[in-house]
Amino acid sequence: MIRTSFNDNWQVRPKANPFAELSGHSVPYREVTLPHDAMIEQTRVPSEEGAGAYFPGGVYEYRKTFFVPEEHRGRRIAVEFEGVYRDAAVFVNGDYAGQRPYGYSLFRVDADRFLRFGQDNEIRVEARAHQDSRWYTGAGIYRDTWLLVGGPVRIAPDGVRVTTPDIDADRAVAEVATTVVNDSTEIRTADLVTEIRDAAGTVVATGTSKVTVLPGESATARRRLYVREPALWSPDSPALYTCEVTLAGLDSERVVFGVRSLRLDPDHGLRLNGESVKLRGACVHHDNGVLGAATHARAEERRVRILKEAGFNAIRMSHHPMSRAMLDACDRLGMLVVDETFDMWTSAKSPFDYSLSFPEWWERDIEALVAKDFNHPSVIMYSIGNEIPETGTPSGAAWGRRLAEKVRALDGTRYVTNAINNMLAVMDELARFRRQAAEGAGINTLMADAGDMMNAVAVSDAVTERTAESYGVLDVAGMNYSDSRYALDREKLPDRIILGTETFPTRIDRLWALVRQHSTVIGDFTWTGWDYLGEAGIGRPQYGSTPAHVAPYPYLLAGCGDIDITGHRRPASYYREIVFGLRTRPCLAVQRPERHGETFVGSPWAWSDTIASWTWPGHEGAPVTVEVYADADEIELLLDGRSLGRQPVDRFRVAFETTYEPGELLAVAYRDGAETGRDLLRSATGPASLRAEADRSVITATGGDLAYIGLTLTDSGGTPYTSADRPVRVEVSGAGVLLGFGSADPATEERFDATERRTYDGRALAVIRPTGPGKIRLLATAPDCAPAEIVIDVREQHA
């Protein structure tokens, strides 16, 4: 089918009450271009849930007028939505055309029966979001839309599926299964031509066969082709092929795939192309920071690229299906994927969540997930759920088996896991565990740390017995916060293969040692790789005696990501890279001196309150703690060449107590007495300047491309002025519009759709969407700084 972008010329408004409109209370529409997040534009309300970043729910309606030519009469026309959050209802020319309760599933509505040919038509979409999630979801048509047009005899959407079941150095077998639909009243026979091309566009395999389809039916045509000397897809070498299938004179479809093999066993763990691989994983939510939930292709690619540069080789999409755009980026850049289905089954976690629709819709949503993922070599595993309380019951185990077998029936080439929180699985026995803990000597320590409590419960006989069947239906036992089971299960259940599907970022050194130690543990996924909106403040620094879970308004961010919402790497990210063995240089980080001496009581998701800065005006002579991360024996700290001493490294880190003096702070790492690397922080001096830097000087006008412009306060030498925050105003002119503007400030009432934002730690980020070919000019101004200007060239996209 011919696929055309359907993103332009939409309008949106809060859903109107038709009876109120009869009384003259009309709610106006306004113009928008998709993808669009209606929630990020709302005013936050302190009385709302912190889980949703204090954004209110709402009901929104979108509409679009589009012309359908007379020559389309008799053709099949569908509108494809990659994601609408949530409870979508679609109407064409006023008539109900379809719905989808789940907010993360790709779905299509058949529109041809409702259309008026040779004239304008209207499509209207309603979306609702209200107390239905444990994180910020956004609302509305937040992913791409497409218009699909095809003849009565055509290749079905997602109808070309490629597998590579047999691979060696000389050739790879590519099995291409093509589903052809015949909506005509006659038997139709057509030639089906299949071509495979390599990255250079050279045809490397081709074949022609005939396919006959009875009227009103579909048929699947299978063809085995042979790719000689195949280039294998892997994270280090993400080679891709293109398969184009042509139904002679009728239709064509093109998909991208990779040649790679997967193997799994308790002795070698996970093997990709015959080589054992440990998953250095990041859990990632779906919002794009300053853009809210809107899913633009460039935003997804940028996230994947930054995560990979930070040392990750795998993403677990948490806790919902990944976008097509991110899957494409993972394929191109070489990132392994665990794609997840649901955060709930039949047991609700929020008052109005998907559990209300799950029993009726789960099969269709799994079908949509697998159809979307099938040809992507990056996808190695499906997760059928996250922290499902039912997994500790016989009924829940039966549901798990049902879901797992559904996935296997649709795709037998990948593995199935479930991210089980063992403590939640025995939640009804938690009071007994607490009583038993109270009788022991370590009650205060145990109850003060949620991670220790989860690990203590995880190794109990109750967990072992009650989760046995739920784990037994899986290929890989996904475990959230249960690393205490790694050694236990290796001894008692030696065939159980484990994946740390969610773990505490503050414990990666010990966790990664366990992953390396046990062949049955194939990887670790930290919560989280990228910070996100909602679950406000679970990873924030806290001081005092007892940590609180969710932070009060105006907290906005979770605060637990290795990388902040603007894409800036936090100190925890460099620590992780060192633990992974990917960075030989040490890393300097400094605790904010204004909290020096206070007792830190952050949650296990909370890193120390550090930033990579040696600029602390007003704290001269005050005590300060300097952290250094390194894979070394010892660290020497020097200030302006003067040694502040040497200390041994423990758990890849060391802390120095000193007093703040402006200058150059240098950390030197040693192993066996020899220097292995150094890191330097320099104090900013003189007046602050405002700098604007674009991630790319040239972007494309279509295809979901964006321009990311970092705005940084620096001194004349380029050292960031982390202590000189001030408001920055931006003006965008030319061939683009400001799509989002903000900082990584975790607690603010400022808006992402404003043209003025205050920097945080000296940084802010502006994101621009192109409106056509030409030049985009961004002018940024800040008090006591010279204006900063940058020009982006927007060009047409070439095939």
Side-chain angles (χ1 to χ4, degrees):
M1 301 182 78
I2 298 173
R3 175 181 294 270
T4 306
S5 175
F6 206 55
N7 286 342
D8 293 337
N9 302 316
W10 286 83
Q11 297 177 317
V12 68
R13 69 175 181 178
K15 179 172 168 49
N17 182 325
F19 298 102
E21 286 200 309
L22 288 175
S23 303
H25 299 287
S26 179
V27 180
Y29 280 95
R30 60 187 182 82
E31 305 290 332
V32 294
T33 299
L34 305 183
H36 175 256
D37 179 5
M39 184 178 286
I40 202 70
E41 302 168 346
Q42 306 307 308
T43 299
R44 296 164 68 217
V45 181
S47 60
E48 291 290 338
E49 294 288 335
Y54 300 100
F55 280 92
V59 184
Y60 306 95
E61 57 182 343
Y62 293 75
R63 73 179 182 186
K64 173 185 171 112
T65 300
F66 62 105
F67 180 78
V68 180
E70 180 63 36
E71 53 265 33
H72 279 4
R73 188 182 297 274
R75 299 179 70 79
R76 296 295 174 261
I77 302 173
V79 180
E80 180 178 280
F81 298 88
E82 292 192 16
V84 179
Y85 202 89
R86 168 168 119 63
D87 275 321
V90 182
F91 302 84
V92 177
N93 291 326
D95 292 324
Y96 168 83
Q99 66 184 100
R100 197 69 172 213
Y102 197 37
Y104 302 102
S105 282
L106 182 152
F107 68 99
R108 303 177 186 92
V109 293
D110 295 325
D112 44 88
R113 53 188 166 152
F114 305 111
L115 294 175
R116 301 164 186 155
F117 297 94
Q119 55 186 295
D120 284 339
N121 293 260
E122 183 187 73
I123 185 170
R124 185 169 60 86
V125 180
E126 296 179 1
R128 298 159 179 80
H130 172 63
Q131 295 184 24
D132 52 22
S133 181
R134 300 182 301 115
W135 58 86
Y136 175 85
T137 62
I141 310 177
Y142 69 97
R143 289 181 178 171
D144 287 326
T145 59
W146 304 88
L147 185 68
L148 308 182
V149 180
V153 182
R154 64 197 182 278
I155 299 172
D158 295 324
V160 178
R161 298 190 173 191
V162 185
T163 57
T164 56
D166 187 358
I167 305 169
D168 59 34
D170 297 327
R171 91 305 176 250
V173 176
E175 289 191 356
V176 183
T178 303
T179 301
V180 180
V181 179
N182 180 6
D183 283 339
S184 75
T185 58
E186 302 175 350
I187 296 177
R188 300 295 295 269
T189 300
D191 288 334
L192 198 68
V193 180
T194 305
E195 286 187 341
I196 295 177
R197 298 177 182 269
D198 62 15
T202 304
V203 176
V204 296
T206 186
T208 302
S209 57
K210 289 189 178 297
V211 57
T212 297
V213 193
L214 298 177
E217 295 187 7
S218 63
T220 299
R222 299 185 185 275
R223 181 80 195 201
R224 285 169 64 92
L225 299 178
Y226 301 89
V227 179
R228 311 296 175 184
E229 299 180 349
L232 302 185
W233 186 96
S234 72
D236 295 330
S237 180
L240 295 172
Y241 289 87
T242 300
C243 177
E244 184 165 1
V245 180
T246 302
L247 193 62
L250 297 169
D251 200 4
S252 65
E253 189 74 29
R254 184 172 60 182
V255 299
V256 176
F257 72 99
V259 178
R260 58 111 176 94
S261 66
L262 296 175
R263 298 172 70 181
L264 190 66
D265 66 73
D267 297 320
H268 303 92
L270 176 67
R271 282 185 283 180
L272 178 67
N273 301 327
E275 299 291 330
S276 293
V277 58
K278 297 288 190 178
L279 301 181
R280 306 188 302 270
C283 293
V284 175
H285 265 323
H286 83 129
D287 74 74
N288 272 302
V290 303
L291 304 181
T295 303
H296 298 264
R298 172 57 187 166
E300 303 288 69
E301 180 182 56
R302 178 175 178 266
R303 273 203 293 174
V304 174
R305 186 179 298 278
I306 291 173
L307 286 164
K308 185 164 187 181
E309 290 171 351
F312 294 107
N313 67 0
I315 290 173
R316 172 186 169 227
M317 203 64 206
S318 313
H319 308 288
H320 40 70
M322 183 179 281
S323 71
R324 264 188 182 159
M326 183 172 275
L327 286 171
D328 290 340
C330 289
D331 289 346
R332 290 192 303 269
L333 300 175
M335 183 72 80
L336 301 169
V337 172
V338 177
D339 208 1
E340 199 151 79
T341 52
F342 312 114
D343 187 47
M344 71 293 291
W345 294 347
T346 59
S347 180
K349 295 181 178 178
S350 302
F352 303 102
D353 66 20
Y354 175 71
S355 65
L356 299 170
S357 302
F358 173 84
E360 180 181 354
W361 284 87
W362 70 271
E363 285 191 272
R364 281 168 283 188
D365 288 322
I366 286 181
E367 289 165 359
L369 168 72
V370 173
K372 170 181 61 69
D373 289 11
F374 195 92
N375 292 316
H376 291 278
S378 55
V379 179
I380 59 171
M381 206 175 305
Y382 298 109
S383 170
I384 58 174
N386 171 70
E387 297 189 339
I388 305 298
E390 299 97 301
T391 51
T393 68
S395 176
W399 268 110
R401 187 181 303 278
R402 193 176 293 155
L403 269 69
E405 290 306 311
K406 177 68 175 181
V407 170
R408 293 183 180 112
L410 296 168
D411 184 358
T413 69
R414 295 174 170 94
Y415 303 115
V416 179
T417 190
N418 187 2
I420 295 175
N421 186 313
N422 287 300
M423 187 173 76
L424 287 181
V426 294
M427 204 60 181
D428 55 337
E429 297 193 37
L430 200 56
R432 178 171 63 84
F433 287 120
R434 284 178 172 149
R435 285 196 303 271
Q436 291 174 345
E439 297 169 1
I443 178 61
N444 292 331
T445 300
L446 183 65
M447 299 306 293
D449 192 308
D452 289 342
M453 183 66 184
M454 282 191 257
N455 261 324
V457 174
V459 295
S460 67
D461 290 340
V463 165
T464 300
E465 294 166 7
R466 290 179 53 175
T467 62
E469 186 177 1
S470 285
Y471 281 125
V473 306
L474 308 171
D475 303 309
V476 176
M479 295 189 182
N480 287 10
Y481 310 110
S482 297
D483 50 281
S484 58
R485 289 205 68 95
Y486 295 178
L488 176 68
D489 285 356
R490 179 61 170 162
E491 177 185 351
K492 293 189 174 182
L493 301 163
D495 290 337
R496 176 178 284 180
I497 298 169
I498 296 173
L499 178 62
T501 38
E502 193 168 313
T503 64
F504 294 115
T506 51
R507 302 183 179 186
I508 184 57
D509 58 322
R510 294 173 179 172
L511 294 166
W512 194 244
L514 291 172
V515 172
R516 296 180 63 183
Q517 178 184 350
H518 298 288
S519 62
T520 50
V521 182
I522 62 173
D524 176 276
F525 282 81
T526 189
W527 191 264
T528 56
W530 197 283
D531 206 11
Y532 57 98
L533 306 174
E535 289 192 288
I538 67 166
R540 72 193 186 281
Q542 297 183 66
Y543 299 86
S545 56
T546 304
H549 184 66
V550 176
Y553 182 87
Y555 259 87
L556 176 71
L557 307 180
C560 57
D562 277 22
I563 299 163
D564 73 27
I565 64 164
T566 69
H568 180 70
R569 293 179 64 182
R570 301 166 72 205
S573 174
Y574 295 99
Y575 178 82
R576 184 181 308 277
E577 189 180 12
I578 289 167
V579 170
F580 283 156
L582 302 175
R583 177 186 170 102
T584 57
R585 291 173 48 225
C587 174
L588 271 166
V590 180
Q591 295 184 17
R592 300 180 192 270
E594 59 266 27
R595 306 305 295 264
H596 188 273
E598 297 184 49
T599 302
F600 184 85
V601 293
S603 74
W605 293 280
W607 197 256
S608 59
D609 192 6
T610 53
I611 63 172
S613 175
W614 193 240
T615 303
W616 305 101
H619 293 277
E620 291 80 1
V624 65
T625 303
V626 177
E627 297 183 9
V628 186
Y629 316 136
D631 185 4
D633 295 333
E634 59 180 356
I635 297 292
E636 183 178 17
L637 190 67
L638 301 97
L639 180 60
D640 290 336
R642 182 179 80 256
S643 179
L644 302 180
R646 289 194 184 197
Q647 290 193 35
V649 176
D650 179 41
R651 296 182 60 187
F652 299 95
R653 73 174 79 193
V654 61
F656 289 86
E657 293 296 329
T658 186
T659 55
Y660 173 66
E661 298 175 25
E664 290 189 344
L665 189 69
L666 176 68
V668 182
Y670 297 92
R671 181 174 293 282
D672 297 326
E675 180 181 329
T676 59
R678 53 179 58 197
D679 192 28
L680 176 70
L681 292 178
R682 181 181 291 109
S683 300
T685 58
S689 300
L690 179 62
R691 294 196 176 191
E693 183 176 4
D695 61 340
R696 294 165 303 147
S697 60
V698 179
I699 64 173
T700 56
T702 56
D705 207 355
L706 302 172
Y708 279 79
I709 299 174
L711 298 163
T712 310
L713 297 169
T714 74
D715 66 8
S716 59
T719 299
Y721 240 123
T722 54
S723 59
D725 287 320
R726 60 197 65 185
V728 176
R729 178 175 292 276
V730 296
E731 297 178 16
V732 176
S733 58
V737 294
L738 184 66
L739 196 61
F741 182 35
S743 72
D745 189 344
T748 177
E749 293 186 291
E750 293 179 300
R751 300 172 60 96
F752 292 122
D753 57 356
T755 56
E756 182 175 297
R757 283 293 301 257
R758 188 174 180 83
T759 59
Y760 180 74
D761 288 339
R763 294 182 175 87
L765 179 72
V767 185
I768 297 173
R769 178 177 62 81
T771 55
K775 304 285 187 182
I776 300 173
R777 176 178 176 265
L778 178 139
L779 178 66
T781 56
D784 302 320
C785 294
E789 183 177 6
I790 198 162
V791 176
I792 306 294
D793 188 12
V794 185
R795 299 178 184 175
E796 293 281 9
Q797 186 175 29
H798 299 289

